[in-house]
Amino acid sequence: MVQSSISRSEQKKVQILTAAIDLFCGQGFPNTSMDEVAKKAGVSKQTVYSHFGSKDDLFIASIESKCVVHQVTDELFTNPDDPVSALMQFGSYFGEMIISPEALDVFKTCVAQSDSHPEISQLFFNAGPQHLLGLLERYFIEVEQRHTYRFGDCRDAGVRLCLMLFGEMRLKLELGLPVDDLLANRETYIRDTVAMFLRAYRCD
């Protein structure tokens, strides 16, 4: 008998997250109910609440799960002796994540509802950008201890790297403009951006 790679409980959790992401992106946070998530996921409402205590918790978990799917996790930053490899990988995964349809949909939803529901934007910021900046800040502090790079304010350095990686493609996608002319050069842009970033902070 072949054992399932994940437990039934974990499988239901994945189903819930998948349904939640689809609904949050498609109709927005305020218009999505836990009942709808349960129905779309094919589980009971009680099961949804057993995994996620509130809709806020589910929204945060949905954002964090997208980071995991795109491999933007703390596992990228386990070796402070090799920041070049770590940040090149981060640039690749992060660059892919920020232009994904789900990331764009959630971002646009937060912006569109920021006046009436500013708490949604705060939830998104805490679960997404704040989380990633924390990972980078802690990693840069460790790297600095090797005396090869000096980042100064490590959080500010993380902000600079992330905003540089957004590039023209993310801007155009936010505006609903075509990006076909940028696709071929995207990988090169990310690689060159990370290299330039590291050169700027390398100790002479």
Side-chain angles (χ1 to χ4, degrees):
M1 182 177 178
V2 178
Q3 295 290 326
S4 174
S5 58
I6 61 174
S7 68
R8 187 174 180 182
S9 176
E10 283 299 311
Q11 185 177 13
K12 287 185 177 180
K13 184 177 180 180
V14 171
Q15 291 171 214
I16 294 167
L17 284 171
T18 301
I21 291 167
D22 188 50
L23 289 168
F24 286 141
C25 292
Q27 59 191 39
F29 180 87
N31 300 321
T32 298
S33 69
M34 296 293 260
D35 281 323
E36 289 177 296
V37 173
K39 183 177 180 180
K40 189 174 183 66
V43 301
S44 68
K45 186 177 178 180
Q46 182 179 359
T47 299
V48 176
Y49 276 108
S50 70
H51 285 284
F52 308 97
S54 67
K55 192 166 77 165
D56 285 1
D57 292 340
L58 178 56
F59 183 75
I60 292 170
S62 299
I63 301 301
E64 292 176 341
S65 73
K66 294 310 297 180
C67 294
V68 173
V69 167
H70 288 277
Q71 298 177 286
V72 185
T73 68
D74 54 3
E75 292 182 4
L76 279 178
F77 306 112
T78 57
N79 184 7
D81 292 314
D82 190 7
V84 175
S85 295
L87 293 183
M88 284 294 180
Q89 280 191 307
F90 169 76
S92 177
Y93 297 151
F94 179 73
E96 180 183 351
M97 182 183 72
I98 60 176
I99 62 172
S100 68
E102 297 92 344
L104 288 161
D105 286 345
V106 171
F107 176 78
K108 290 177 181 179
T109 296
C110 290
V111 171
Q113 299 172 350
S114 59
D115 289 338
S116 58
H117 295 85
E119 71 279 5
I120 302 172
S121 295
Q122 190 64 58
L123 286 172
F124 172 77
F125 184 80
N126 291 344
Q130 184 88 299
H131 174 69
L132 291 178
L133 290 174
L135 291 179
L136 286 169
E137 181 179 14
R138 290 189 291 274
Y139 182 66
F140 290 160
I141 290 172
E142 289 187 45
V143 172
E144 279 195 332
Q145 294 172 1
R146 272 64 180 173
H147 307 296
T148 304
Y149 294 89
R150 178 62 57 189
F151 297 102
D153 188 310
C154 290
R155 179 181 172 84
D156 283 351
V159 172
R160 292 187 186 101
L161 176 59
C162 290
L163 291 180
M164 289 165 63
L165 289 169
F166 268 48
E168 184 181 0
M169 180 175 287
R170 171 63 188 240
L171 175 60
K172 280 191 166 184
L173 287 170
E174 286 179 8
L175 295 171
L177 299 175
V179 295
D180 294 348
D181 59 323
L182 302 175
L183 291 173
N185 193 52
R186 178 66 176 170
E187 185 177 338
T188 300
Y189 173 81
I190 290 173
R191 185 174 61 249
D192 290 350
T193 295
V194 173
M196 180 175 65
F197 174 84
L198 287 170
R199 283 198 304 270
Y201 289 106
R202 187 173 179 87
C203 299
D204 293 329

